[in-house]
């Protein structure tokens, strides 16, 4: 709705943008072209709903005003306002205004100088959809990208450290597999025991040794216990299979994100920023990035590793031939 109202583009153009932004329905599926078009004819978004042939006021919070809805209908019907969208921006829909909480949108502008030269520039600003008098100032695309690049620099790690860390984690995984196998066997034993007790309980009921009421209480308790061990087994198995893959992706991101952001496409830049965190805020023209827990550890480790690489030549540490792996192994605290 923000983009449509700001850019006055066609729905076909907006459909392309929405797919790039990753828009999905409440069922986690991509919108079909026809379904996407129907969204912008629905009065639900300005606080009304259609039922049994009539339109009624809803109790939900409107996303747009009735006036804005009417403007969109004019755009869709081709009755004025229609204008081609000139640019697709990387970060729209990812950042919120730190003052009012509305999304940050983007625009292209032209500046005409007295000598006839025309300068084009892009900037990001609050949509002011929540607070019309929001005082958050616009920030140029160049300045915003520089801030993101600086943030990526704080978590950037050398390829040598990435390789060592994954090798170290594989060694730890091998030890953990043995421990988890013992845990898995114990959990299976407990689950099998529950199944045997259920069979015994069922036979007792068939033989009339317990009442229906007593059977139900004890049976429900055993089934609940069995389900608990089933979930524990499932969780143990999933964690064993996925945690190292997750670590590999995180270390790859920390090693390559800065360079990818500098040289990548709009889609690359968007994917990188969305990976940094899910609650990005623009406050006083400064991007606040609350890192997700998994990436936050690089804020502590990366500066130390970067400083080490700037300070030392790995093959001549203390006059002896030594590799980065050898030096990392002397600093196992990084593996904690």
């Amino acid at each position: 709705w923000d983009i449509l109202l700001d850019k006055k583009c066609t729905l076909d153009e907006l459909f392309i943008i929405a797919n790039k932004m990753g828009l999905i329905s409440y069922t986690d599926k991509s919108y079909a072209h026809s379904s996407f078009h129907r969204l912008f004819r629905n009065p639900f978004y300005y606080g009304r709903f259609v039922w049994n042939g009539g339109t009624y006021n809803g109790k939900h919070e409107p996303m747009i005003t009735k006036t804005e809805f009417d403007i969109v209908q004019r755009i869709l019907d081709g009755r004025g306002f229609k204008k081609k969208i000139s640019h697709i921006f990387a970060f729209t829909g990812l950042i919120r205004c730190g003052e009012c909480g509305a999304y940050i949108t983007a625009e292209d502008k032209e500046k005409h100088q007295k000598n006839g030269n025309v300068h084009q520039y892009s900037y990001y600003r609050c949509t002011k959809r929540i607070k019309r008098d929001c005082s958050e100032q616009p920030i140029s695309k160049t300045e915003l990208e520089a801030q993101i690049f600086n943030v990526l620099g704080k978590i950037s790690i050398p390829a040598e450290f990435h390789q060592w860390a994954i090798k170290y984690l594989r060694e730890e995984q091998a030890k953990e597999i043995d421990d988890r196998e013992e845990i898995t066997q114990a959990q299976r034993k407990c689950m099998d025991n529950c199944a045997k007790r259920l069979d015994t309980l069922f036979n007792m009921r068939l033989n009339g040794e317990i009442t229906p009421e007593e059977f139900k209480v004890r049976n429900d308790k055993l089934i609940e216990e069995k389900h608990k061990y089933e979930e524990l087994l499932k969780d143990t198995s999933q964690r064993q299979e996925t945690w190292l893959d997750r670590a590999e992706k995180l270390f790859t991101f920390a090693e390559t994100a800065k360079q990818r952001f500098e040289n990548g496409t709009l889609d690359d830049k968007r994917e990188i920023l969305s990976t940094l965190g899910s609650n990005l805020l623009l406050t006083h023209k400064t991007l606040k990035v609350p890192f997700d827990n998994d990436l936050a550890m690089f804020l502590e480790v990366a500066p130390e590793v970067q400083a080490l690489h700037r300070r030392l030549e790995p093959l001549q540490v203390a006059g002896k031939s030594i590799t980065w792996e050898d030096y990392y192994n002397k600093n196992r605290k990084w593996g904690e």
Side-chain angles (χ1 to χ4, degrees), residues 20-72:
K20 287 182 176 294
M21 292 173 65
L23 180 70
I24 56 174
S25 69
Y26 68 93
T27 57
D28 291 336
K29 295 181 180 179
S30 299
Y31 274 99
H33 190 273
S34 58
S35 300
F36 181 78
H37 277 236
R38 284 197 297 271
L39 288 177
F40 298 95
R41 299 291 191 182
N42 191 343
F44 177 86
Y45 294 99
Y46 72 86
R48 305 269 286 174
F49 68 94
V50 178
W51 182 75
N52 200 25
T55 305
Y56 305 89
N57 288 327
K59 294 183 179 180
H60 59 284
E61 181 181 354
M63 182 178 289
I64 58 172
T65 66
K66 176 63 164 60
T67 299
E68 289 170 328
F69 181 82
D70 291 339
I71 291 174
V72 166

Side-chain angles (χ1 to χ4, degrees), residues 3-177:
I3 294 171
L4 191 54
L5 285 163
D6 285 342
K7 301 299 183 182
K8 314 296 189 299
C9 57
T10 67
L11 276 186
D12 287 341
E13 291 168 330
L14 187 62
F15 184 64
I16 295 173
I17 296 171
N19 283 329
K20 287 182 176 294
M21 292 173 65
L23 180 70
I24 56 174
S25 69
Y26 68 93
T27 57
D28 291 336
K29 295 181 180 179
S30 299
Y31 274 99
H33 190 273
S34 58
S35 300
F36 181 78
H37 277 236
R38 284 197 297 271
L39 288 177
F40 298 95
R41 299 291 191 182
N42 191 343
F44 177 86
Y45 294 99
Y46 72 86
R48 305 269 286 174
F49 68 94
V50 178
W51 182 75
N52 200 25
T55 305
Y56 305 89
N57 288 327
K59 294 183 179 180
H60 59 284
E61 181 181 354
M63 182 178 289
I64 58 172
T65 66
K66 176 63 164 60
T67 299
E68 289 170 328
F69 181 82
D70 291 339
I71 291 174
V72 166
Q73 304 316 299
R74 293 181 64 184
I75 295 171
L76 301 187
D77 294 337
R79 293 183 283 120
F81 305 114
K82 190 173 182 293
K83 182 174 71 174
K84 287 287 184 178
I85 188 167
S86 58
H87 201 101
I88 297 176
F89 298 92
F91 311 127
T92 51
L94 295 181
I95 308 170
R96 287 188 180 272
C97 173
E99 179 178 329
C100 69
Y103 274 114
I104 299 297
T105 188
E107 287 189 71
D108 281 327
K109 285 291 183 181
E110 289 185 351
K111 186 174 182 180
H112 297 264
Q113 295 184 321
K114 291 182 179 180
N115 61 8
N117 292 336
V118 178
H119 291 279
Q120 292 185 337
Y121 62 97
S122 303
Y123 67 92
Y124 286 82
R125 63 166 179 83
C126 176
T127 60
K128 300 187 178 182
R129 300 295 301 280
I130 294 177
K131 183 182 176 184
R132 294 295 180 182
D133 60 347
C134 177
S135 63
E136 180 61 46
Q137 295 297 306
I139 181 174
S140 70
K141 183 185 78 169
T142 302
E143 186 178 351
L144 179 60
E145 289 193 349
Q147 289 188 27
I148 298 171
F149 189 75
N150 182 56
V151 170
L152 293 172
K154 294 178 181 179
I155 65 169
S156 179
I157 59 172
E160 294 87 353
F161 183 74
H162 175 187
Q163 294 166 5
W164 171 82
I166 295 302
K167 181 179 179 181
Y168 172 82
L169 290 174
R170 290 188 188 281
E171 293 172 359
E172 293 300 305
Q173 186 199 38
K175 300 173 186 176
E176 191 176 299
I177 286 175

